[in-house]
Amino acid sequence: MAPLGDSYVSNAGLLDQVAALQWVKDNITAFGGDPGQVTVFGESAGSMSIAALMAMPAAKGLFERAIMESGASQFMPAEQASALREGMLKVLGIDRDSLTKLNSIPVEQIMAAAETVKQQSGAGMALLFQPVLDGETLPQIPLQAVSEGFAQDIPVLIGTTLHEGSLFIQPDVPFSNEIDMVQGVDFMTPDLENRVAIVDSYPKTADGQAQVMTDLFFWRSALQYASAQQKHAPVWMYRFDWVMPEHPLLKRAIHSIEMFFVFNTLDALKFMKAEPDEAAKALALKVQDAWISFARNGKPETAGIEWPEYRQDRATLIINHEIEVVHDPEASKRELLGVK
């Protein structure tokens, strides 16, 4: 039973995605597609959704491959979700006898309440709203589920950018002591035992805060997920390092920058007063070829690039102005972050 009764469900957003995938499975043949060749593909929260889908019984058999960009296994224990739910109801002024009011509250009011709860929780830069372990729609932590083979035979292409956090905490902004880095790490990676020592290893600057977000929230979770799934299916790992050194924001390989290459929408960067050169346009075509090849054939291939699977040698494709394979990049940092 859902916590608020039979009229409500947990993980409604994920169940919407399951419904969409079921529709594709049932109807894609009519559009010339192959229901046995479905690839799910997401970035950031979209990628975290895929990690959850790969652990959900309701999504079993609805897709054959997964592309995960800058996001992996995230979850919220039931007791934490309960506290968050009660906080939201309190801010919205709704008690258990008037739950039907939820159906008529404007979305703007709900979003405002969510922000209020986040501020009250002290979550700071952490992602507060996450998939919930409810014992039914999401019975296991996604990382645990894939480690045990729940997503058997689903190939995965997964990776991050080099400076994910610099989109959210730009290096040239004043350092804020109001952000409790250890508390933020508690929200991002509650399984870390040495989080105080890890936080202390980063500079006490805005750039240091951005690096903590990059390494713990994005890179560490991707490494863990890749290591778990490669026991049960082929996995390919990338890291996107491309930058424009002269640009105030794109001088870092920020969160979501790879999307302009994956969809070959580099022209849209003009709205950021950036003009990628011909080499960047050629790189976009290579990235597209690899992503499309993976969706079509289950292996990312592009002319002139041999991209090995992610196994014990931790082969990672570094996508920069030049492309190269690096084995176990930043190994010492990986070990500090507790990734075996």
Side-chain angles (χ1 to χ4, degrees):
M1 178 180 292
L4 292 180
D6 292 340
S7 298
Y8 302 93
V9 297
S10 298
N11 295 312
L14 290 171
L15 292 174
D16 282 348
Q17 295 173 30
V18 170
L21 286 167
Q22 185 65 61
W23 188 95
V24 169
K25 205 75 170 178
D26 294 342
N27 295 282
I28 200 62
T29 302
F31 297 86
D34 183 349
Q37 292 280 1
V38 176
T39 298
V40 288
F41 168 22
E43 189 267 347
S44 194
S47 185
M48 297 170 201
S49 291
I50 291 172
L53 289 171
M54 289 178 68
M56 292 179 67
K60 195 79 168 177
L62 296 182
F63 57 92
E64 284 65 44
R65 303 179 185 109
I67 301 175
M68 301 172 60
E69 302 179 30
S70 301
S73 177
Q74 299 295 328
F75 71 97
M76 180 179 293
E79 57 273 19
Q80 184 179 342
S82 177
L84 185 59
R85 180 181 64 250
E86 295 306 316
M88 284 286 294
L89 291 174
K90 183 177 180 180
V91 171
L92 290 169
I94 295 175
D95 57 37
R96 290 298 185 118
D97 296 326
S98 58
L99 292 176
T100 55
K101 292 181 180 178
L102 287 168
N103 300 326
S104 58
I105 293 177
V107 65
E108 293 82 5
Q109 188 176 340
I110 294 175
M111 295 294 288
E115 184 61 28
T116 297
V117 171
K118 181 174 182 178
Q119 295 302 320
Q120 291 175 348
S121 72
M125 66 181 185
L127 183 65
L128 188 59
F129 296 90
Q130 301 182 33
V132 177
L133 292 181
D134 66 344
E136 184 176 350
T137 60
L138 187 62
Q140 282 185 292
I141 298 169
L143 181 61
Q144 179 184 350
V146 297
S147 182
E148 295 176 3
F150 192 84
Q152 179 86 28
D153 298 326
I154 297 181
V156 169
L157 192 162
I158 186 170
T160 61
T161 70
L162 183 58
H163 307 114
E164 300 271 7
S166 292
L167 176 64
F168 309 99
I169 307 172
Q170 296 179 27
D172 55 352
V173 303
F175 175 70
S176 175
N177 286 308
E178 293 181 3
I179 296 179
D180 185 329
M181 294 301 295
V182 175
Q183 186 179 40
V185 170
D186 281 340
F187 276 102
M188 291 188 288
T189 51
D191 60 317
L192 268 179
E193 295 181 359
N194 60 332
R195 49 193 175 275
V196 174
I198 289 173
V199 168
D200 285 345
S201 72
Y202 288 84
K204 299 300 184 290
T205 63
D207 193 29
Q209 291 177 333
Q211 290 175 43
V212 169
M213 178 181 282
T214 296
D215 294 341
L216 273 72
F217 191 63
F218 292 101
W219 187 51
R220 181 178 185 268
S221 62
L223 292 176
Q224 289 178 314
Y225 204 89
S227 294
Q229 182 64 359
Q230 60 91 20
K231 296 180 292 186
H232 307 287
V235 173
W236 287 266
M237 171 74 76
Y238 74 88
R239 193 184 74 197
F240 203 88
D241 288 16
W242 182 91
V243 297
M244 294 183 71
E246 70 282 2
H247 192 275
L249 180 59
L250 302 182
K251 63 184 178 183
R252 298 285 197 278
I254 59 172
H255 181 71
S256 79
I257 184 60
E258 88 286 353
M259 298 297 286
F260 294 94
F261 291 80
V262 171
F263 289 106
N264 203 354
T265 53
L266 292 174
D267 287 344
L269 290 176
K270 66 185 179 183
F271 296 107
M272 299 169 62
K273 298 182 180 179
E275 295 184 13
D277 57 17
E278 291 302 314
K281 296 175 183 178
L283 178 61
L285 294 177
K286 291 182 179 180
V287 172
Q288 283 195 303
D289 284 346
W291 265 234
I292 292 170
S293 170
F294 177 80
R296 181 176 292 156
N297 307 312
K299 181 178 180 181
E301 296 179 325
T302 187
I305 300 171
E306 180 59 35
W307 188 348
E309 290 182 31
Y310 187 85
R311 291 175 174 158
Q312 289 185 341
D313 62 355
R314 302 179 189 273
T316 302
L317 191 74
I318 307 298
I319 304 173
N320 204 334
H321 296 270
E322 301 294 332
I323 297 178
E324 63 176 333
V325 174
V326 175
H327 296 278
D328 200 5
E330 302 195 71
S332 59
K333 182 185 287 187
R334 171 185 59 77
E335 292 171 355
L336 176 66
L337 299 181
V339 180
K340 307 297 184 182

